[in-house]
C-alpha cells in the first residue's frame, strides 16, 4: 500500500551513530510518586544547535558514555519521544524522553541496564549523544476527526503523551492552527501501582477540559484483580469495553496504537479476538485489514 503523503515528509536519520547530535540535558526528574515500584524519569534535551527535529510518534537513539565489556563504545538504544514536535516548552528546540531504569536480579546480584541507568542518573548540563529521529510506525493521522485508541504499558505512554499534548494542551493548540483535534482519544494505561501512573496531572486536566474527546482507563496490575482473580492488565480492560472499542474500530477514522512491553502483544491479540468474536467478526482477518489501512500501529520492546 502507498503510505499517506505525510509519511514522506517525516524526518529520519538526520543524525547517525558516527556523527551523533550532542544534546545538552536541560531537565531530568522522576515521574513517580512515593511508594512506586522502580524508577521512571522524564528527561529533556536541548536541540537548539544543529538540525535535529521530529514529529510525534518517532524515536531517537541514545549512545551512552563509556565502553562495553569488550572495550568498544556502547551501542545505541532507542527511546520513544515523549514530547510533541514543539517540545515541552513549545519552542521547537527540545526533545523529551520517558525512561524506566532496567533493573533485574541475576545470581543474587542487582543488574542495572547500561543506557537506562545512564539516562536516569544524568545531570542537567551534561551532553548526550543522540541519533535519529527514526520510525514511521506510530505517526498520528493528520485528520483532526480521527479516533485514537491508545494501549500503553509503563513507558509505552511516551508517544501517547506526545499525541495527547498535540490534541489537548492549550499551548499546543494555539501553536497548531491546522490541527484542532475533534475526534475521540481513549487511553488504556497499565502500571503496577497507583504511584506508578505517569503524567497523571496532565491527563486529569485533559479529562476535565475535554470530557467529550478524551477518555482514560487504567489497569493497576498489583492493586486490582481481573475477573479470573489474576493481575489486572490493559487487555482485561479492553475485554471489559469490547463493545465500545469495536464500535469505534468499525469507523474507518479509528486508529489503534500499542506501545510498551512486548509481552502485552499476545494478551491484547487474544482480547481483540474474543471481542471481535462476540460481534461475529474474525480478528485474524480484521487485524491485517486494519494494518493495511495504516490503522493498527504497534511499537513494543
Ligand atoms: P541493557 O544494559 O542493554 O540490558 C538489556 C539486556 O539485559 C537485555 O537485552 C537482556 O539481555 C538483559 N535482560 C533484561 N531483562 C532481564 C531479566 N529480567 N533477566 C535477565 N536478563 C535481562 N525504554 C524506555 O524506558 N522508554 C522508552 O520510551 C523506550 N522506547 C523504546 C522504543 C523502541 C522502538 C525500542 C526498540 C525500545 C525502547 N525502549 C524504551 C527500551 C530501550 O531501548 C532499552 O532497551 C532499555 O532502556 C534497556 O536498555 P539498557 O541499556 O538500560 O539495558
Ligand atoms: P506487572 O509487572 O504487575 O505484572 P511498568 O513498566 O511501570 O512496570 O509497567 C508495566 C505494566 O504492564 C505493569 O503493570 C505490568 O504488570 C504490566 N504487564 C506485565 N506483563 C504484561 C502483559 N503480558 N500484558 C499486559 N501488561 C503487562
Amino acid at each position: 500500500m502507498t503510505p499517506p503523503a505525510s509519511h514522506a515528509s517525516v524526518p529520519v536519520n538526520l543524525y547517525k551513530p558516527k556523527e551523533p547530535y550532542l544534546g545538552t540535558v536541560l531537565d531530568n526528574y522522576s515521574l513517580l510518586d512515593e511508594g512506586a515500584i522502580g524508577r521512571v524519569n522524564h528527561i529533556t534535551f536541548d536541540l537548539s544547535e544543529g538540525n535535529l527535529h521530529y514529529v510525534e510518534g518517532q524515536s531517537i537513539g541514545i549512545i551512552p558514555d563509556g565502553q562495553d565489556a569488550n572495550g568498544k563504545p556502547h551501542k545505541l538504544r532507542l527511546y520513544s519521544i515523549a514530547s510533541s514536535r514543539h517540545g515541552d516548552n513549545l519552542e521547537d528546540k527540545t526533545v523529551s524522553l520517558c525512561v524506566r531504569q532496567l533493573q533485574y536480579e541475576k545470581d543474587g546480584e542487582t543488574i542495572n541496564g547500561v543506557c537506562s541507568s545512564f539516562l536516569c542518573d544524568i545531570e542537567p548540563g551534561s551532553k548526550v549523544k543522540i541519533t535519529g529521529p527514526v520510525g514511521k510506525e506510530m505517526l498520528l493521522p493528520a485528520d483532526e476527526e480521527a479516533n485514537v485508541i491508545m494501549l500503553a504499558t509503563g513507558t509505552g505512554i511516551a508517544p501517547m503523551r506526545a499525541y495527547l499534548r498535540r490534541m489537548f494542551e492549550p499551548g499546543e493548540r494555539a501553536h497548531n492552527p491546522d490541527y484542532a483535534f475533534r475526534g475521540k482519544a481513549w487511553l488504556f494505561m497499565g502500571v503496577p501501582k497507583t504511584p506508578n501512573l505517569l503524567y497523571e496531572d496532565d491527563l486529569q486536566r485533559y479529562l476535565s477540559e475535554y470530557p467529550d474527546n478524551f477518555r482514560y482507563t487504567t489497569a493497576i496490575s498489583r492493586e486490582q484483580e481481573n475477573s479470573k482473580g489474576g493481575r489486572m492488565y490493559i487487555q482485561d480492560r479492553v475485554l471489559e469495553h469490547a463493545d465500545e472499542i469495536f464500535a469505534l474500530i468499525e469507523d474507518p477514522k479509528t486508529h489503534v496504537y500499542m506501545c510498551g512491553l512486548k509481552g502485552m502483544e499476545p494478551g491484547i491479540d487474544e482480547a481483540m479476538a474474543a471481542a471481535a468474536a462476540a460481534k461475529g467478526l474474525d480478528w485474524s482477518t480484521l487485524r491485517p485489514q486494519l494494518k493495511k489501512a495504516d490503522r493498527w500501529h504497534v511499537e513494543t520492546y
Side-chain angles (χ1 to χ4, degrees), residues 59 64 77-81 98-106 112-117 155-156 158-159 259 299-301:
S59 299
R77 271 74 163 176
L78 290 175
Y79 293 89
S80 306
I81 295 172
C98 172
V99 178
R100 165 176 276 289
Q101 182 181 25
L102 173 68
Q103 274 199 322
Y104 59 91
E105 303 293 320
K106 198 175 165 191
N112 294 322
V114 171
C115 192
S116 58
S117 302
T155 53
C259 189
E299 195 151 273
T300 56
Y301 42 86

PDB file of all heavy atoms in Angstrom, residues 59 64 77-81 98-106 112-117 155-156 158-159 259 299-301, ligand 1:
ATOM      1  N   SER A  59      11.096   7.991  17.408  1.00  0.00           N
ATOM      2  CA  SER A  59      12.029   7.660  18.492  1.00  0.00           C
ATOM      3  C   SER A  59      13.379   8.307  18.180  1.00  0.00           C
ATOM      4  O   SER A  59      13.649   8.665  17.037  1.00  0.00           O
ATOM      5  CB  SER A  59      12.234   6.143  18.578  1.00  0.00           C
ATOM      6  OG  SER A  59      11.016   5.495  18.844  1.00  0.00           O
ATOM      7  N   PRO A  64      25.066   5.753  25.136  1.00  0.00           N
ATOM      8  CA  PRO A  64      25.551   6.106  26.471  1.00  0.00           C
ATOM      9  C   PRO A  64      27.060   6.276  26.473  1.00  0.00           C
ATOM     10  O   PRO A  64      27.760   5.632  25.680  1.00  0.00           O
ATOM     11  CB  PRO A  64      25.118   4.918  27.338  1.00  0.00           C
ATOM     12  CG  PRO A  64      24.856   3.789  26.400  1.00  0.00           C
ATOM     13  CD  PRO A  64      24.529   4.380  25.061  1.00  0.00           C
ATOM     14  N   ARG A  77      20.703   2.786  22.050  1.00  0.00           N
ATOM     15  CA  ARG A  77      19.398   2.248  22.444  1.00  0.00           C
ATOM     16  C   ARG A  77      18.340   3.237  21.969  1.00  0.00           C
ATOM     17  O   ARG A  77      18.554   4.455  22.035  1.00  0.00           O
ATOM     18  CB  ARG A  77      19.278   2.143  23.958  1.00  0.00           C
ATOM     19  CG  ARG A  77      19.756   0.837  24.559  1.00  0.00           C
ATOM     20  CD  ARG A  77      21.240   0.723  24.566  1.00  0.00           C
ATOM     21  NE  ARG A  77      21.723  -0.316  25.476  1.00  0.00           N
ATOM     22  CZ  ARG A  77      23.000  -0.657  25.590  1.00  0.00           C
ATOM     23  NH1 ARG A  77      23.935  -0.066  24.840  1.00  0.00           N
ATOM     24  NH2 ARG A  77      23.371  -1.584  26.435  1.00  0.00           N
ATOM     25  N   LEU A  78      17.202   2.699  21.538  1.00  0.00           N
ATOM     26  CA  LEU A  78      16.121   3.568  21.067  1.00  0.00           C
ATOM     27  C   LEU A  78      15.179   3.938  22.210  1.00  0.00           C
ATOM     28  O   LEU A  78      14.920   3.111  23.090  1.00  0.00           O
ATOM     29  CB  LEU A  78      15.302   2.852  19.980  1.00  0.00           C
ATOM     30  CG  LEU A  78      16.001   2.648  18.644  1.00  0.00           C
ATOM     31  CD1 LEU A  78      15.120   1.819  17.705  1.00  0.00           C
ATOM     32  CD2 LEU A  78      16.332   3.995  17.988  1.00  0.00           C
ATOM     33  N   TYR A  79      14.670   5.157  22.167  1.00  0.00           N
ATOM     34  CA  TYR A  79      13.654   5.609  23.128  1.00  0.00           C
ATOM     35  C   TYR A  79      12.574   6.375  22.373  1.00  0.00           C
ATOM     36  O   TYR A  79      12.871   7.231  21.537  1.00  0.00           O
ATOM     37  CB  TYR A  79      14.287   6.497  24.217  1.00  0.00           C
ATOM     38  CG  TYR A  79      15.217   5.673  25.089  1.00  0.00           C
ATOM     39  CD1 TYR A  79      16.553   5.525  24.748  1.00  0.00           C
ATOM     40  CD2 TYR A  79      14.734   4.981  26.191  1.00  0.00           C
ATOM     41  CE1 TYR A  79      17.407   4.726  25.505  1.00  0.00           C
ATOM     42  CE2 TYR A  79      15.571   4.165  26.955  1.00  0.00           C
ATOM     43  CZ  TYR A  79      16.902   4.040  26.608  1.00  0.00           C
ATOM     44  OH  TYR A  79      17.722   3.228  27.351  1.00  0.00           O
ATOM     45  N   SER A  80      11.313   6.071  22.696  1.00  0.00           N
ATOM     46  CA  SER A  80      10.192   6.796  22.099  1.00  0.00           C
ATOM     47  C   SER A  80      10.222   8.233  22.582  1.00  0.00           C
ATOM     48  O   SER A  80      10.429   8.487  23.778  1.00  0.00           O
ATOM     49  CB  SER A  80       8.855   6.199  22.541  1.00  0.00           C
ATOM     50  OG  SER A  80       8.803   4.833  22.285  1.00  0.00           O
ATOM     51  N   ILE A  81       9.967   9.136  21.692  1.00  0.00           N
ATOM     52  CA  ILE A  81       9.929  10.555  22.057  1.00  0.00           C
ATOM     53  C   ILE A  81       8.615  10.845  22.798  1.00  0.00           C
ATOM     54  O   ILE A  81       7.545  10.460  22.333  1.00  0.00           O
ATOM     55  CB  ILE A  81      10.057  11.429  20.791  1.00  0.00           C
ATOM     56  CG1 ILE A  81      11.444  11.214  20.161  1.00  0.00           C
ATOM     57  CG2 ILE A  81       9.814  12.897  21.123  1.00  0.00           C
ATOM     58  CD1 ILE A  81      11.625  11.866  18.805  1.00  0.00           C
ATOM     59  N   CYS A  98      10.792   9.438  28.219  1.00  0.00           N
ATOM     60  CA  CYS A  98      10.241   8.848  29.440  1.00  0.00           C
ATOM     61  C   CYS A  98      10.952   7.505  29.606  1.00  0.00           C
ATOM     62  O   CYS A  98      10.720   6.581  28.828  1.00  0.00           O
ATOM     63  CB  CYS A  98       8.733   8.660  29.237  1.00  0.00           C
ATOM     64  SG  CYS A  98       7.916   7.749  30.537  1.00  0.00           S
ATOM     65  N   VAL A  99      11.851   7.423  30.582  1.00  0.00           N
ATOM     66  CA  VAL A  99      12.762   6.267  30.653  1.00  0.00           C
ATOM     67  C   VAL A  99      12.605   5.510  31.966  1.00  0.00           C
ATOM     68  O   VAL A  99      12.679   6.114  33.043  1.00  0.00           O
ATOM     69  CB  VAL A  99      14.229   6.738  30.507  1.00  0.00           C
ATOM     70  CG1 VAL A  99      15.195   5.555  30.627  1.00  0.00           C
ATOM     71  CG2 VAL A  99      14.438   7.454  29.178  1.00  0.00           C
ATOM     72  N   ARG A 100      12.386   4.204  31.853  1.00  0.00           N
ATOM     73  CA  ARG A 100      12.412   3.344  33.045  1.00  0.00           C
ATOM     74  C   ARG A 100      13.794   2.727  33.173  1.00  0.00           C
ATOM     75  O   ARG A 100      14.332   2.181  32.204  1.00  0.00           O
ATOM     76  CB  ARG A 100      11.371   2.228  32.943  1.00  0.00           C
ATOM     77  CG  ARG A 100      11.609   1.122  33.975  1.00  0.00           C
ATOM     78  CD  ARG A 100      10.552   0.053  33.978  1.00  0.00           C
ATOM     79  NE  ARG A 100       9.395   0.429  34.784  1.00  0.00           N
ATOM     80  CZ  ARG A 100       9.379   0.499  36.123  1.00  0.00           C
ATOM     81  NH1 ARG A 100      10.475   0.239  36.818  1.00  0.00           N
ATOM     82  NH2 ARG A 100       8.272   0.808  36.749  1.00  0.00           N
ATOM     83  N   GLN A 101      14.371   2.821  34.367  1.00  0.00           N
ATOM     84  CA  GLN A 101      15.663   2.166  34.578  1.00  0.00           C
ATOM     85  C   GLN A 101      15.443   0.656  34.594  1.00  0.00           C
ATOM     86  O   GLN A 101      14.631   0.149  35.370  1.00  0.00           O
ATOM     87  CB  GLN A 101      16.287   2.598  35.914  1.00  0.00           C
ATOM     88  CG  GLN A 101      17.648   1.949  36.109  1.00  0.00           C
ATOM     89  CD  GLN A 101      18.312   2.317  37.436  1.00  0.00           C
ATOM     90  OE1 GLN A 101      17.639   2.657  38.410  1.00  0.00           O
ATOM     91  NE2 GLN A 101      19.626   2.243  37.457  1.00  0.00           N
ATOM     92  N   LEU A 102      16.159  -0.045  33.707  1.00  0.00           N
ATOM     93  CA  LEU A 102      16.088  -1.510  33.707  1.00  0.00           C
ATOM     94  C   LEU A 102      16.879  -2.038  34.905  1.00  0.00           C
ATOM     95  O   LEU A 102      18.051  -1.698  35.076  1.00  0.00           O
ATOM     96  CB  LEU A 102      16.669  -2.064  32.406  1.00  0.00           C
ATOM     97  CG  LEU A 102      16.804  -3.589  32.364  1.00  0.00           C
ATOM     98  CD1 LEU A 102      15.446  -4.266  32.330  1.00  0.00           C
ATOM     99  CD2 LEU A 102      17.634  -4.032  31.181  1.00  0.00           C
ATOM    100  N   GLN A 103      16.226  -2.857  35.692  1.00  0.00           N
ATOM    101  CA  GLN A 103      16.903  -3.488  36.850  1.00  0.00           C
ATOM    102  C   GLN A 103      16.405  -4.900  36.977  1.00  0.00           C
ATOM    103  O   GLN A 103      15.195  -5.133  36.905  1.00  0.00           O
ATOM    104  CB  GLN A 103      16.533  -2.751  38.138  1.00  0.00           C
ATOM    105  CG  GLN A 103      17.406  -1.558  38.427  1.00  0.00           C
ATOM    106  CD  GLN A 103      17.333  -1.130  39.883  1.00  0.00           C
ATOM    107  OE1 GLN A 103      16.278  -1.178  40.484  1.00  0.00           O
ATOM    108  NE2 GLN A 103      18.458  -0.703  40.433  1.00  0.00           N
ATOM    109  N   TYR A 104      17.316  -5.833  37.104  1.00  0.00           N
ATOM    110  CA  TYR A 104      16.886  -7.210  37.366  1.00  0.00           C
ATOM    111  C   TYR A 104      17.929  -7.922  38.213  1.00  0.00           C
ATOM    112  O   TYR A 104      19.071  -7.460  38.338  1.00  0.00           O
ATOM    113  CB  TYR A 104      16.599  -7.965  36.059  1.00  0.00           C
ATOM    114  CG  TYR A 104      17.777  -8.055  35.104  1.00  0.00           C
ATOM    115  CD1 TYR A 104      18.657  -9.136  35.156  1.00  0.00           C
ATOM    116  CD2 TYR A 104      18.002  -7.065  34.164  1.00  0.00           C
ATOM    117  CE1 TYR A 104      19.731  -9.224  34.288  1.00  0.00           C
ATOM    118  CE2 TYR A 104      19.081  -7.141  33.293  1.00  0.00           C
ATOM    119  CZ  TYR A 104      19.938  -8.226  33.365  1.00  0.00           C
ATOM    120  OH  TYR A 104      21.009  -8.306  32.512  1.00  0.00           O
ATOM    121  N   GLU A 105      17.496  -9.025  38.797  1.00  0.00           N
ATOM    122  CA  GLU A 105      18.392  -9.804  39.665  1.00  0.00           C
ATOM    123  C   GLU A 105      18.995 -10.946  38.871  1.00  0.00           C
ATOM    124  O   GLU A 105      18.293 -11.612  38.114  1.00  0.00           O
ATOM    125  CB  GLU A 105      17.600 -10.392  40.854  1.00  0.00           C
ATOM    126  CG  GLU A 105      16.865  -9.377  41.712  1.00  0.00           C
ATOM    127  CD  GLU A 105      17.790  -8.445  42.477  1.00  0.00           C
ATOM    128  OE1 GLU A 105      18.825  -8.917  42.973  1.00  0.00           O
ATOM    129  OE2 GLU A 105      17.472  -7.234  42.541  1.00  0.00           O
ATOM    130  N   LYS A 106      20.293 -11.130  39.035  1.00  0.00           N
ATOM    131  CA  LYS A 106      20.952 -12.284  38.402  1.00  0.00           C
ATOM    132  C   LYS A 106      21.974 -12.849  39.387  1.00  0.00           C
ATOM    133  O   LYS A 106      22.842 -12.107  39.855  1.00  0.00           O
ATOM    134  CB  LYS A 106      21.641 -11.830  37.116  1.00  0.00           C
ATOM    135  CG  LYS A 106      21.970 -12.983  36.184  1.00  0.00           C
ATOM    136  CD  LYS A 106      22.530 -12.447  34.881  1.00  0.00           C
ATOM    137  CE  LYS A 106      23.203 -13.541  34.105  1.00  0.00           C
ATOM    138  NZ  LYS A 106      23.965 -13.034  32.983  1.00  0.00           N
ATOM    139  N   ASN A 112      21.933  -3.362  36.669  1.00  0.00           N
ATOM    140  CA  ASN A 112      21.321  -2.128  36.167  1.00  0.00           C
ATOM    141  C   ASN A 112      21.558  -2.019  34.666  1.00  0.00           C
ATOM    142  O   ASN A 112      22.695  -2.182  34.216  1.00  0.00           O
ATOM    143  CB  ASN A 112      21.946  -0.907  36.839  1.00  0.00           C
ATOM    144  CG  ASN A 112      21.637  -0.859  38.317  1.00  0.00           C
ATOM    145  OD1 ASN A 112      20.527  -1.200  38.738  1.00  0.00           O
ATOM    146  ND2 ASN A 112      22.601  -0.456  39.112  1.00  0.00           N
ATOM    147  N   GLY A 113      20.522  -1.742  33.902  1.00  0.00           N
ATOM    148  CA  GLY A 113      20.677  -1.553  32.460  1.00  0.00           C
ATOM    149  C   GLY A 113      21.644  -0.413  32.176  1.00  0.00           C
ATOM    150  O   GLY A 113      21.647   0.593  32.899  1.00  0.00           O
ATOM    151  N   VAL A 114      22.446  -0.571  31.120  1.00  0.00           N
ATOM    152  CA  VAL A 114      23.509   0.401  30.831  1.00  0.00           C
ATOM    153  C   VAL A 114      22.927   1.773  30.471  1.00  0.00           C
ATOM    154  O   VAL A 114      23.223   2.788  31.112  1.00  0.00           O
ATOM    155  CB  VAL A 114      24.401  -0.122  29.670  1.00  0.00           C
ATOM    156  CG1 VAL A 114      25.377   0.969  29.213  1.00  0.00           C
ATOM    157  CG2 VAL A 114      25.149  -1.368  30.102  1.00  0.00           C
ATOM    158  N   CYS A 115      22.121   1.818  29.442  1.00  0.00           N
ATOM    159  CA  CYS A 115      21.693   3.116  28.911  1.00  0.00           C
ATOM    160  C   CYS A 115      20.595   3.732  29.768  1.00  0.00           C
ATOM    161  O   CYS A 115      20.583   4.944  30.000  1.00  0.00           O
ATOM    162  CB  CYS A 115      21.234   2.952  27.465  1.00  0.00           C
ATOM    163  SG  CYS A 115      21.021   4.519  26.641  1.00  0.00           S
ATOM    164  N   SER A 116      19.667   2.887  30.248  1.00  0.00           N
ATOM    165  CA  SER A 116      18.564   3.443  31.048  1.00  0.00           C
ATOM    166  C   SER A 116      19.104   3.998  32.375  1.00  0.00           C
ATOM    167  O   SER A 116      18.599   5.014  32.866  1.00  0.00           O
ATOM    168  CB  SER A 116      17.477   2.401  31.278  1.00  0.00           C
ATOM    169  OG  SER A 116      18.004   1.259  31.914  1.00  0.00           O
ATOM    170  N   SER A 117      20.149   3.367  32.930  1.00  0.00           N
ATOM    171  CA  SER A 117      20.739   3.905  34.171  1.00  0.00           C
ATOM    172  C   SER A 117      21.500   5.189  33.865  1.00  0.00           C
ATOM    173  O   SER A 117      21.413   6.180  34.603  1.00  0.00           O
ATOM    174  CB  SER A 117      21.692   2.889  34.806  1.00  0.00           C
ATOM    175  OG  SER A 117      21.001   1.692  35.062  1.00  0.00           O
ATOM    176  N   THR A 155       6.316   2.833  30.307  1.00  0.00           N
ATOM    177  CA  THR A 155       6.877   3.905  29.473  1.00  0.00           C
ATOM    178  C   THR A 155       6.294   3.909  28.054  1.00  0.00           C
ATOM    179  O   THR A 155       6.574   4.823  27.283  1.00  0.00           O
ATOM    180  CB  THR A 155       8.411   3.772  29.366  1.00  0.00           C
ATOM    181  OG1 THR A 155       8.712   2.444  28.920  1.00  0.00           O
ATOM    182  CG2 THR A 155       9.092   4.034  30.697  1.00  0.00           C
ATOM    183  N   GLY A 156       5.484   2.914  27.738  1.00  0.00           N
ATOM    184  CA  GLY A 156       4.753   2.912  26.456  1.00  0.00           C
ATOM    185  C   GLY A 156       3.849   4.123  26.319  1.00  0.00           C
ATOM    186  O   GLY A 156       3.342   4.418  25.238  1.00  0.00           O
ATOM    187  N   ALA A 158       4.937   7.042  26.399  1.00  0.00           N
ATOM    188  CA  ALA A 158       5.720   8.149  25.819  1.00  0.00           C
ATOM    189  C   ALA A 158       5.103   8.716  24.531  1.00  0.00           C
ATOM    190  O   ALA A 158       4.787   9.916  24.475  1.00  0.00           O
ATOM    191  CB  ALA A 158       7.174   7.724  25.608  1.00  0.00           C
ATOM    192  N   PRO A 159       4.904   7.907  23.479  1.00  0.00           N
ATOM    193  CA  PRO A 159       4.328   8.515  22.268  1.00  0.00           C
ATOM    194  C   PRO A 159       2.916   9.031  22.508  1.00  0.00           C
ATOM    195  O   PRO A 159       2.519  10.048  21.931  1.00  0.00           O
ATOM    196  CB  PRO A 159       4.331   7.368  21.250  1.00  0.00           C
ATOM    197  CG  PRO A 159       4.419   6.104  22.050  1.00  0.00           C
ATOM    198  CD  PRO A 159       5.185   6.477  23.298  1.00  0.00           C
ATOM    199  N   CYS A 259       1.853   0.470  22.616  1.00  0.00           N
ATOM    200  CA  CYS A 259       3.266   0.728  22.899  1.00  0.00           C
ATOM    201  C   CYS A 259       3.608   0.307  24.318  1.00  0.00           C
ATOM    202  O   CYS A 259       2.825   0.499  25.243  1.00  0.00           O
ATOM    203  CB  CYS A 259       3.572   2.210  22.703  1.00  0.00           C
ATOM    204  SG  CYS A 259       5.341   2.590  22.777  1.00  0.00           S
ATOM    205  N   GLU A 299       4.343  -0.625  18.589  1.00  0.00           N
ATOM    206  CA  GLU A 299       5.768  -0.476  18.875  1.00  0.00           C
ATOM    207  C   GLU A 299       6.009  -0.999  20.289  1.00  0.00           C
ATOM    208  O   GLU A 299       5.697  -0.342  21.276  1.00  0.00           O
ATOM    209  CB  GLU A 299       6.187   0.989  18.778  1.00  0.00           C
ATOM    210  CG  GLU A 299       7.701   1.131  18.702  1.00  0.00           C
ATOM    211  CD  GLU A 299       8.084   2.380  17.927  1.00  0.00           C
ATOM    212  OE1 GLU A 299       8.193   2.309  16.680  1.00  0.00           O
ATOM    213  OE2 GLU A 299       8.237   3.432  18.563  1.00  0.00           O
ATOM    214  N   THR A 300       6.525  -2.229  20.361  1.00  0.00           N
ATOM    215  CA  THR A 300       6.767  -2.824  21.679  1.00  0.00           C
ATOM    216  C   THR A 300       8.240  -3.198  21.782  1.00  0.00           C
ATOM    217  O   THR A 300       8.928  -3.357  20.781  1.00  0.00           O
ATOM    218  CB  THR A 300       5.878  -4.065  21.875  1.00  0.00           C
ATOM    219  OG1 THR A 300       6.116  -4.969  20.808  1.00  0.00           O
ATOM    220  CG2 THR A 300       4.407  -3.705  21.916  1.00  0.00           C
ATOM    221  N   TYR A 301       8.696  -3.334  23.022  1.00  0.00           N
ATOM    222  CA  TYR A 301      10.117  -3.618  23.230  1.00  0.00           C
ATOM    223  C   TYR A 301      10.326  -4.435  24.486  1.00  0.00           C
ATOM    224  O   TYR A 301       9.397  -4.619  25.246  1.00  0.00           O
ATOM    225  CB  TYR A 301      10.916  -2.310  23.285  1.00  0.00           C
ATOM    226  CG  TYR A 301      10.277  -1.181  24.072  1.00  0.00           C
ATOM    227  CD1 TYR A 301      10.448  -1.067  25.455  1.00  0.00           C
ATOM    228  CD2 TYR A 301       9.479  -0.208  23.436  1.00  0.00           C
ATOM    229  CE1 TYR A 301       9.875  -0.024  26.173  1.00  0.00           C
ATOM    230  CE2 TYR A 301       8.908   0.836  24.151  1.00  0.00           C
ATOM    231  CZ  TYR A 301       9.103   0.921  25.519  1.00  0.00           C
ATOM    232  OH  TYR A 301       8.523   1.960  26.220  1.00  0.00           O
TER     233      TYR A 301
HETATM  234  P1  LIG B   1      20.999  -3.180  28.763  1.00  0.00           P
HETATM  235  O1  LIG B   1      22.179  -2.899  29.592  1.00  0.00           O
HETATM  236  O2  LIG B   1      21.140  -3.131  27.279  1.00  0.00           O
HETATM  237  O3  LIG B   1      20.397  -4.545  29.204  1.00  0.00           O
HETATM  238  C1  LIG B   1      19.389  -5.151  28.438  1.00  0.00           C
HETATM  239  C2  LIG B   1      19.676  -6.625  28.368  1.00  0.00           C
HETATM  240  O4  LIG B   1      19.608  -7.162  29.691  1.00  0.00           O
HETATM  241  C3  LIG B   1      18.659  -7.395  27.580  1.00  0.00           C
HETATM  242  O5  LIG B   1      18.978  -7.394  26.226  1.00  0.00           O
HETATM  243  C4  LIG B   1      18.733  -8.752  28.207  1.00  0.00           C
HETATM  244  O6  LIG B   1      19.808  -9.455  27.647  1.00  0.00           O
HETATM  245  C5  LIG B   1      19.083  -8.466  29.634  1.00  0.00           C
HETATM  246  N1  LIG B   1      17.906  -8.530  30.492  1.00  0.00           N
HETATM  247  C6  LIG B   1      16.879  -7.655  30.537  1.00  0.00           C
HETATM  248  N2  LIG B   1      15.981  -8.009  31.473  1.00  0.00           N
HETATM  249  C7  LIG B   1      16.447  -9.146  32.001  1.00  0.00           C
HETATM  250  C8  LIG B   1      15.968 -10.021  33.005  1.00  0.00           C
HETATM  251  N3  LIG B   1      14.802  -9.760  33.648  1.00  0.00           N
HETATM  252  N4  LIG B   1      16.690 -11.106  33.308  1.00  0.00           N
HETATM  253  C9  LIG B   1      17.862 -11.381  32.669  1.00  0.00           C
HETATM  254  N5  LIG B   1      18.363 -10.590  31.701  1.00  0.00           N
HETATM  255  C10 LIG B   1      17.667  -9.494  31.376  1.00  0.00           C
HETATM  256  N6  LIG B   1      12.655   2.206  27.093  1.00  0.00           N
HETATM  257  C11 LIG B   1      12.163   3.167  27.906  1.00  0.00           C
HETATM  258  O7  LIG B   1      12.466   3.183  29.113  1.00  0.00           O
HETATM  259  N7  LIG B   1      11.373   4.169  27.406  1.00  0.00           N
HETATM  260  C12 LIG B   1      11.007   4.223  26.104  1.00  0.00           C
HETATM  261  O8  LIG B   1      10.272   5.143  25.690  1.00  0.00           O
HETATM  262  C13 LIG B   1      11.528   3.220  25.230  1.00  0.00           C
HETATM  263  N8  LIG B   1      11.215   3.244  23.923  1.00  0.00           N
HETATM  264  C14 LIG B   1      11.695   2.281  23.086  1.00  0.00           C
HETATM  265  C15 LIG B   1      11.350   2.341  21.741  1.00  0.00           C
HETATM  266  C16 LIG B   1      11.809   1.369  20.884  1.00  0.00           C
HETATM  267  C17 LIG B   1      11.423   1.435  19.414  1.00  0.00           C
HETATM  268  C18 LIG B   1      12.627   0.326  21.375  1.00  0.00           C
HETATM  269  C19 LIG B   1      13.143  -0.753  20.453  1.00  0.00           C
HETATM  270  C20 LIG B   1      12.980   0.274  22.688  1.00  0.00           C
HETATM  271  C21 LIG B   1      12.527   1.251  23.584  1.00  0.00           C
HETATM  272  N9  LIG B   1      12.871   1.246  24.942  1.00  0.00           N
HETATM  273  C22 LIG B   1      12.360   2.212  25.778  1.00  0.00           C
HETATM  274  C23 LIG B   1      13.818   0.241  25.506  1.00  0.00           C
HETATM  275  C24 LIG B   1      15.256   0.776  25.446  1.00  0.00           C
HETATM  276  O9  LIG B   1      15.668   0.858  24.091  1.00  0.00           O
HETATM  277  C25 LIG B   1      16.279  -0.123  26.151  1.00  0.00           C
HETATM  278  O10 LIG B   1      16.159  -1.421  25.634  1.00  0.00           O
HETATM  279  C26 LIG B   1      16.108  -0.168  27.642  1.00  0.00           C
HETATM  280  O11 LIG B   1      16.262   1.127  28.215  1.00  0.00           O
HETATM  281  C27 LIG B   1      17.183  -1.083  28.278  1.00  0.00           C
HETATM  282  O12 LIG B   1      18.421  -0.640  27.875  1.00  0.00           O
HETATM  283  P2  LIG B   1      19.676  -0.675  28.858  1.00  0.00           P
HETATM  284  O13 LIG B   1      20.887  -0.210  28.118  1.00  0.00           O
HETATM  285  O14 LIG B   1      19.357   0.018  30.127  1.00  0.00           O
HETATM  286  O15 LIG B   1      19.782  -2.219  29.197  1.00  0.00           O
END
